Amino acid sequence: MLTAKGRLAGVIGWPVGHSRSPQLHGHWLARYGIDGAYVPMAVAPERLEAALRGLAALGFRGCNVTVPHKEAAMALVDELDPLARRIAAVNTILVREDGRLFGTNTDGFGFLANLQAGAPGWSAGRGPAVVIGAGGAARAVIVALADAGAPEIRLANRTRSRAETLAAELGGPITVIDWADRVAALSGAALLVNTTTEGMVGRPALDLALDALPADALVNDIVYVPLETPLLAAAKARGNPVVDGVGMLLHQARPGFEAWFGVSPVVDAALRAAVLGA
């Protein structure tokens, strides 16, 4: 039950009805018996600054930020985590005791934690990683892989110039691959990650034959609707270990929840069921 002393947090987006964060955080609040609430807040782009500045006055400990506000929020917080600056997006905001806003990004943390939980013993240093796509999600994935010690990150995107821009901005062990060479780029890879929306419900499957991919390479798709995308189904059929995308969503929420509500939450089967059933 929420009392007048309860802790408040939420998610800001436009629209925000699609977000599964309220179910995710609501599950944890109930599980740990916390006096608090996590609420969805639909905020139009032109009102984002006013909404963020109002968090402290309303007693909020912070919030998540989702589309289309992740980039705009960078310029509106008072303090920006260097990691969020590199990823060029904010997805988590903490309200300091003095009301100042601290912005960070937990997507890379969620990505790595998901792989480590879904494939125990996996490490980024095992070998080259192939990343498909050069959007915002790819930035978080590439930064996380580079920081975790990936020796090479092969980046393939339909529009090569976009991949080249991303590689130039991020630096590190990134090799840009022509879209026509994406299949050959799988040779010798230890990890394959799809960061595009291809394979999502209503979208065509990712156009990528896996013939050259080593049988022990880990395959991950950040899409989680459906939970088993055509890419994961094809990888599983040929014997590759696979990790679905919902765990990235679940794990990226952990740092924010701990900061706002004072409990380090657990990601488990019950949480997955609560979020997937939303």
Side-chain angles (χ1 to χ4, degrees):
M1 182 180 69
L2 178 66
T3 72
K5 295 182 179 181
R7 300 184 178 199
L8 297 175
V11 56
I12 291 177
W14 185 257
V16 78
H18 68 283
S19 176
R20 303 203 181 189
S21 292
Q23 288 81 12
L24 197 170
H25 290 275
H27 175 86
W28 280 334
L29 287 170
R31 173 174 181 165
Y32 298 109
I34 294 172
D35 180 10
Y38 183 98
V39 297
M41 296 174 280
V43 176
E46 63 271 18
R47 303 188 70 179
L48 178 61
E49 182 173 9
L52 293 180
R53 289 299 163 197
L55 290 174
L58 292 171
F60 276 71
R61 298 296 184 97
C63 70
N64 286 123
V65 180
T66 188
V67 291
H69 300 318
K70 288 188 174 186
E71 292 77 24
M74 288 181 58
L76 299 176
V77 296
D78 301 301
E79 304 171 59
L80 185 63
D81 186 345
L83 179 62
R85 191 182 304 279
R86 288 170 64 203
I87 295 174
V90 163
N91 79 334
T92 302
I93 292 176
L94 312 180
V95 178
R96 302 291 200 194
E97 290 294 330
D98 62 0
R100 290 171 61 81
L101 304 178
F102 172 77
T104 186
N105 191 301
T106 63
D107 284 333
F109 169 85
F111 166 72
L112 287 180
N114 183 35
L115 295 192
Q116 291 159 352
W122 174 86
S123 71
R126 283 183 53 194
V130 177
V131 175
I132 307 297
R139 294 184 71 98
V141 165
I142 289 170
V143 167
L145 287 173
D147 289 354
E152 181 187 9
I153 300 169
R154 302 168 186 169
L155 176 61
N157 190 61
R158 289 184 186 276
T159 305
R160 181 184 172 95
S161 60
R162 188 168 184 180
E164 290 177 334
T165 297
L166 190 155
E169 290 177 355
L170 294 182
I174 304 172
T175 302
V176 175
I177 305 296
D178 282 332
W179 187 247
D181 298 328
R182 64 193 182 283
V183 174
L186 299 178
S187 179
L191 172 69
L192 167 62
V193 185
N194 174 38
T195 71
T196 75
T197 57
E198 301 294 90
M200 184 182 291
V201 169
R203 297 279 298 169
L206 178 67
D207 182 14
L208 180 66
L210 301 180
D211 302 22
L213 187 69
D216 62 346
L218 181 62
V219 179
N220 169 242
D221 201 323
I222 69 167
V223 168
Y224 59 88
V225 181
L227 199 57
E228 183 174 273
T229 62
L231 172 64
L232 294 186
K236 186 183 294 185
R238 67 192 301 274
N240 287 90
V242 302
V243 176
D244 63 50
V246 73
M248 180 175 173
L249 169 70
L250 306 183
H251 285 283
Q252 64 80 29
R254 287 166 47 201
F257 187 89
E258 182 172 5
W260 302 322
F261 299 111
V263 172
S264 179
V266 173
V267 171
D268 57 13
L271 179 66
R272 283 176 62 96
V275 171
L276 290 173

